[in-house]
Amino acid sequence: MPPSGRPEEVAGLGRGYEFDPTWCLRRAESPSGAAERVTESLLCLSDGVVGTRAVLEEREDPEIAAVMAGGVYEAAEQVTERLLELASWFALPLRGTVPGERVLDLRDGTLTRRAGEGADRLVTVRFASARRPGLEVLVAEGPEAAFGADPPTPTSLRRYCGAAGGVAVATESRTVVEARSPARARLERLSVHVSSSRRLPPPSAAARRLSVARAAGLGRLAEEQRATWRRRWAVADLEAVGDEEITLAARLSVFHLLSSGRRHGETAIGARGLTGPAYAGHVFWDTDVFVLPVLAALDPPAARAALEYRLRRLGTARRRAGREGRAGARFPWESARTGEEVTPSFGVDYEGRRVAIRTGELEEHVTADVAWAAWRYAALTGDVAFLQGPGRPLVVETARYFASRVTTDQRGRAHLLGVIGPDEYHEGVDDNAFTNLMARWNLRRGAELLAGDPGGEAREEAAGFLSLADALVDNLEQASGRYEQFTGYDELKPHVAADFGRPPYPADLILGLEGTAATQLIKQADVLMAHYLVPDEVAPGSLAANLEHYLPRCVHGSSLSPGVHAALLARAGRADEALELLRVAVAVDLEDLTGTTAEGLHLANLGAIWQALVHGFAGLELPGPGGELLRLAPQLPSSWQALRLGLRWRGRPLRLVLGHDGVEVAVDRPVELSVFGQPWHVEPPGGRM
Ligand code: IFM
């Protein structure tokens, strides 16, 4: 079905793009409320300051609040703190509208709605300014009668107050009625949001920025929008050549990830970004290990702002460790304004019964995940000064935490007892292989940073970290190369996922919480997550054995799961199977596979899709922060002709075309590569191997 109109029909925006199924996500307006909520999430526009779901302009009282303020939390029952919701800046009292369609054009971040025909035709265009975060724009054209009696709105000022910070909003509209019969009207609205997580901004701050935007004029604002996204895509564009579905999904993922945070100061990126209220906007490991690596590769200032969010809560993390009788810093499983643990203690299960939630108490790997994110940022950007300077405590203080957290037995072996790994179906387990391997990695990186310090004390502490790292048990079965997920896992009922259905499915819904915990079914990559995040910490060559064992036991009960497995299958040379799981990851939101997309997009899954392409199918492996050699080991599914992708490597753009029979590279400075182990010194402008 071709689109029923061209975007340039809205005067003043100067757009002329054709509909392109690999760049445009189109959704028909649905009579089903549930499908509409999913569309609202998928077509959400965000600039890190506010997120605006694609709620129709005339919907006065949406089931899910349309606008959320990034990083500004208010007190809430049960979840302690939740993201502040704001009134719709885009609301219009439209009358007599008929169902139409909305198109999100990823090339310039505009959302166009079209409904009706001929003289009744209504078109609205919105965007969240990528150049001026916090500025939101709406233009609507339609029959005058549809606009009702909406008089030109003078500037309106509002303030919203969160737990400590708040948002000041200034909005103004201009309506012009064209003198023709039947009369048509055009409305232009600018809305500026100024927010702070610490104080309530004065309304004058928003009013000032509004007058600057007004003076710039709609044409210039629209041109800035196009230019900013053009620049972003020049670095970030990617394409699975021969696969439109994956290409659109990959671009959609990048679009939402690049829209999710701010680029200055701190940015709190919740599990659903600003696309919906699920998890109350709380920040999980989703941000550190799924979202941040993408930002570090495509928009380093945004990644730095996400690390700044953790850094500014280091004091809280230190106090928590102290309260629990530990050294260093322990980060919360769920984090919001203060950095205190905000995981709810209780939830409601599928049968409406109250159940304890223990992740806040026991899912401790998040502390090592934060350290991993800081390291990954430095490895990609080359910002070693960050690791040695402000970012250093994210690695050293977390290592101190694990050093004080381990229990050493009589044989001198170190253990982490009573934790939850990524597989949340098994709680309070001992020596979860993933947690121990991450802690070991954290201790070793902490030692590496301390080793550079003058004085015997630091060297002694570093040596202590290293010997603890060596002593930490990891449950590796030497002969097979398989890790037991935790002590006693192998004694559980030996079910595989296929015994109860076709993954993905929530095993706990079928078997109950206790029933699931009694089996070997796992929710998401756990041992395999270690192979993904810290491949140098696992036994060389052990990926195949662990994939063989754990993939059949995984039900993909978490949206974080399919993308990571796709990446690992590709690395293991099983690219066609990897593509099947990548399609599952893509369906999570595009087809609302888990029935939870109405409440917001699964940002970690979007990150996993990008990572599967780059670190799985392209096989890109990074050196440590001081190293130079980028390794590539592409594994393409037979149905793709090539994979094109780009990223910033040490501050400079790097573009790759990976084919079945060769690799092309474009660079603007010399780069050291190895392709399947074969060294390649690439001079600008690049070449082919
Ligand atoms: O962080 C995840 C977790 O791994 C699985 N449950 C949902 C959380 C938020 O996305």
Side-chain angles (χ1 to χ4, degrees), residues 77-155:
E77 273 175 33
Q78 268 219 333
V79 292
T80 319
E81 292 177 338
R82 66 157 186 232
L83 274 187
L84 191 64
E85 294 173 353
L86 312 178
S88 302
W89 60 269
F90 57 85
L92 289 177
L94 295 175
R95 287 197 310 233
T97 54
V98 293
E101 64 170 24
R102 273 154 291 170
V103 177
L104 173 61
D105 194 330
L106 304 171
R107 286 168 291 194
D108 60 2
T110 50
L111 177 65
T112 302
R113 171 188 182 188
R114 301 184 186 90
E117 291 299 331
D120 291 332
R121 188 157 179 73
L122 172 77
V123 181
T124 73
V125 180
R126 298 182 204 171
F127 60 88
S129 174
R131 176 76 63 83
R132 306 174 193 231
L135 169 68
E136 319 301 312
V137 178
L138 166 72
V139 180
E141 282 183 6
E144 188 196 6
F147 285 81
D150 187 28
T153 323
T155 304

Side-chain angles (χ1 to χ4, degrees), residues 290-333:
F290 290 86
V291 174
L292 186 135
V294 187
L295 297 180
L298 302 181
D299 189 9
R304 177 67 182 79
L307 289 168
E308 187 65 26
Y309 168 81
R310 291 297 192 187
L311 272 171
R312 291 186 188 175
R313 281 142 192 89
L314 187 68
T316 311
R318 281 190 177 119
R319 284 191 290 280
R320 177 180 188 174
R323 274 199 311 275
E324 294 177 2
R326 315 276 183 220
R330 175 181 176 180
F331 283 95
W333 175 244

Side-chain angles (χ1 to χ4, degrees), residues 265-309:
E266 68 169 45
T267 190
I269 303 177
R272 305 296 179 93
L274 297 177
T275 67
Y279 292 114
H282 293 178
V283 179
F284 292 70
W285 74 316
D286 303 37
T287 302
D288 305 291
V289 305
F290 290 86
V291 174
L292 186 135
V294 187
L295 297 180
L298 302 181
D299 189 9
R304 177 67 182 79
L307 289 168
E308 187 65 26
Y309 168 81

